[in-house]
Amino acid sequence: MEAETTEKPFSCDVCKRTFTTKSDLARHARIHTREKQYSCEVCGYLFARKSDLMCHVRTHTGEKPFACDRCKSSFAQKSTLIQHVRTHTGEKPHSCNVCKSAFLKKSDLVRHTRTHTGERPFFCEMCGNSFAEKSSLVQHIRTHTKEKPYGCEICESCFSQKSRLVLHMRTHTGEKPYRCETCGTCFALKSHLMLHMRTHTKEKPYSCDICLFAFSRKSNLVRHMRTHTGEKPFSCASCESSFSQKSHLLHHMRLHNDDNPYACNICDFTFVKKLMLVQHMKLHAGEQLYSCEVCTSSFSHKSSLVQHMRIHSGEKPYECSVCHSSFSRNSSLQRHMRTHTGEKPYSCDVCGSAFSQKSHLVEHLQIHARKNRLLKGMEVPLVATENKT
């Protein structure tokens, strides 16, 4: 039997690729000439190759002639079936020459290689930014065009990314697919589950470079760093006051607006914070559900009873990592830690003085209040004096 020839005598004049037959070269040449002679009878799309037209037609007919022998999956294209079979065999034929990582698809290898080369072949024509993947460029362009092609079928919300629509839909369906294996609590977002897990593991990966504090969330570290830098990025539009946290600014703004949005429906009291209203309402309800078995004390919160019981047991579970002093309450430990860090999170809106404890700020504010009362009392009316001639 005559050996199969590997000779490729037909060469492309544009890209120099070679082919075994003249017909193969002719089909290839249409890539450069943009000649598309095969037309879809359904939608009118044009194709350079008949095989491409046949694959396209299956998007209209739904035909999937290539079936997997191992499962019930079927595919419109043979190449897709070949890739699918590798999920059964574990075969990863495309390997990286740099780090030896292996991939199912050649396209995945191409994208991976850019992590080594730093290549960013996809350019934004509007601002010049470049991207390693075409999908990243497509998403970026929507920041210019404001296009939001993914719309919610229940409400009118629209999103620039499909993943954000998926997350949004969970607000309607109540779906929480991420479950904590320790306590069973479920979450809509994977990131929320990861944060929750740190309550079990006590992991605090974000640490302050200046003092010994560590945090489970990056946002908490950012806020903490302002106690060292003195940065107060949230400014009041009505006066010259500025604050290290946005919540402090919001509470401050209510002083200008005389805004106490949380009102008691029994008496005339109003409150700046919702928590204050909740605590106030318990005075009307006389709610005391949790009773101490040692003495006659009772409490409206279970956590308050737990803290109270430590008076009887002498338990002090919160220990200082610097001097090893121990405390019965976490809040007491936090106040103590400020003696080491010098942190002063409570600032005066009038003069800018800062304090390590809220009670010290309250005492300081009373000084301003007394001064204001004195100034008002010292306003002496003008008295006409008799001219002596």
Side-chain angles (χ1 to χ4, degrees):
M1 183 177 177
E2 186 178 345
E4 184 179 356
T5 179
T6 58
E7 184 182 1
K8 295 182 178 181
F10 301 98
S11 175
C12 175
D13 295 334
V14 179
C15 66
K16 307 306 179 185
R17 282 188 63 180
T18 57
F19 301 88
T20 54
T21 66
K22 193 173 182 178
S23 59
D24 289 341
L25 173 60
R27 280 195 296 270
H28 166 78
R30 295 184 190 126
I31 297 173
H32 300 299
T33 62
R34 303 295 181 185
E35 181 186 353
K36 297 181 178 180
Q37 63 181 15
Y38 300 102
S39 173
C40 175
E41 295 179 355
V42 179
C43 65
Y45 260 68
L46 296 172
F47 299 89
R49 299 180 182 181
K50 190 175 181 179
S51 58
D52 293 339
L53 172 61
M54 292 173 65
C55 290
H56 166 78
V57 168
R58 292 176 191 142
T59 64
H60 297 299
T61 63
E63 182 188 5
K64 295 182 178 180
F66 303 101
C68 176
D69 294 335
R70 303 196 180 194
C71 66
K72 296 181 180 180
S73 301
S74 58
F75 305 90
Q77 298 183 36
K78 187 176 181 179
S79 58
T80 310
L81 171 62
I82 292 171
Q83 291 176 357
H84 166 78
V85 169
R86 290 172 185 155
T87 63
H88 296 299
T89 63
E91 181 189 4
K92 295 182 178 180
H94 306 287
S95 58
C96 174
N97 294 328
V98 180
C99 66
K100 306 305 178 185
S101 297
F103 302 89
L104 285 172
K105 301 178 183 179
K106 188 176 181 179
S107 58
D108 292 339
L109 171 61
V110 170
R111 283 195 293 270
H112 166 79
T113 301
R114 291 175 191 146
T115 63
H116 299 299
T117 64
E119 181 188 6
R120 293 171 173 259
F122 303 102
F123 288 88
C124 174
E125 294 180 355
M126 298 182 185
C127 66
N129 282 335
S130 59
F131 302 87
E133 298 187 23
K134 188 175 182 179
S135 58
S136 300
L137 172 60
V138 170
Q139 290 178 2
H140 166 79
I141 288 175
R142 290 174 187 151
T143 64
H144 296 298
T145 62
K146 307 301 180 185
E147 180 191 7
K148 295 182 177 181
Y150 303 103
C152 175
E153 296 177 354
I154 299 173
C155 66
E156 296 181 354
S157 299
C158 294
F159 303 89
S160 60
Q161 297 181 29
K162 188 176 181 180
S163 58
R164 291 181 180 176
L165 172 60
V166 171
L167 296 177
H168 166 79
M169 289 304 297
R170 291 175 188 158
T171 64
H172 296 299
T173 62
E175 181 190 5
K176 295 182 178 181
Y178 302 102
R179 184 177 183 274
C180 174
E181 295 181 356
T182 304
C183 67
T185 306
C186 296
F187 301 88
L189 301 179
K190 188 176 182 180
S191 57
H192 291 176
L193 172 60
M194 292 173 66
L195 287 173
H196 167 79
M197 288 303 297
R198 290 173 187 156
T199 63
H200 297 300
T201 63
K202 307 301 181 184
E203 180 190 6
K204 295 183 177 181
Y206 304 102
S207 58
C208 176
D209 295 332
I210 300 173
C211 66
L212 299 174
F213 267 109
F215 304 88
S216 59
R217 300 188 180 193
K218 189 176 181 179
S219 58
N220 292 343
L221 173 60
V222 171
R223 283 196 294 269
H224 167 78
M225 290 304 296
R226 293 176 190 145
T227 64
H228 296 299
T229 63
E231 181 189 7
K232 295 182 177 181
F234 304 101
S235 299
C236 175
S238 302
C239 66
E240 297 179 355
S241 300
S242 58
F243 303 88
S244 60
Q245 296 185 35
K246 188 175 182 179
S247 59
H248 294 173
L249 171 61
L250 293 174
H251 292 146
H252 167 79
M253 288 301 295
R254 290 172 183 157
L255 299 176
H256 292 297
N257 302 333
D258 195 22
D259 182 19
N260 291 344
Y262 304 103
C264 175
N265 57 10
I266 298 174
C267 65
D268 294 331
F269 270 101
T270 58
F271 302 89
V272 173
K273 298 181 180 181
K274 186 177 181 180
L275 179 61
M276 292 178 178
L277 173 61
V278 171
Q279 292 172 343
H280 168 80
M281 292 303 295
K282 287 171 182 173
L283 296 177
H284 292 299
E287 182 183 352
Q288 292 186 340
L289 304 177
Y290 303 97
S291 299
C292 175
E293 297 178 354
V294 179
C295 65
T296 57
S297 300
S298 58
F299 304 89
S300 56
H301 295 287
K302 186 177 181 180
S303 58
S304 300
L305 172 61
V306 171
Q307 290 178 357
H308 168 79
M309 290 303 296
R310 290 173 187 149
I311 297 173
H312 300 298
S313 66
E315 181 190 7
K316 294 183 178 181
Y318 303 102
E319 182 177 314
C320 173
S321 58
V322 180
C323 65
H324 302 294
S325 298
S326 56
F327 303 88
S328 60
R329 298 186 180 190
N330 188 34
S331 58
S332 301
L333 172 61
Q334 298 301 323
R335 283 196 296 270
H336 166 79
M337 289 302 295
R338 293 174 193 143
T339 63
H340 297 299
T341 65
E343 181 186 5
K344 295 181 178 181
Y346 303 102
S347 58
C348 174
D349 296 337
V350 180
C351 66
S353 299
F355 303 89
S356 60
Q357 296 186 34
K358 190 175 182 179
S359 59
H360 294 171
L361 171 60
V362 171
E363 291 175 2
H364 170 79
L365 287 172
Q366 291 172 357
I367 296 172
H368 289 299
R370 283 196 295 270
K371 285 182 179 179
N372 288 335
R373 287 195 294 271
L374 286 171
L375 286 172
K376 290 179 180 178
M378 289 172 64
E379 290 178 358
V380 181
L382 293 174
V383 178
T385 58
E386 184 180 357
N387 291 327
K388 293 183 180 181
T389 57

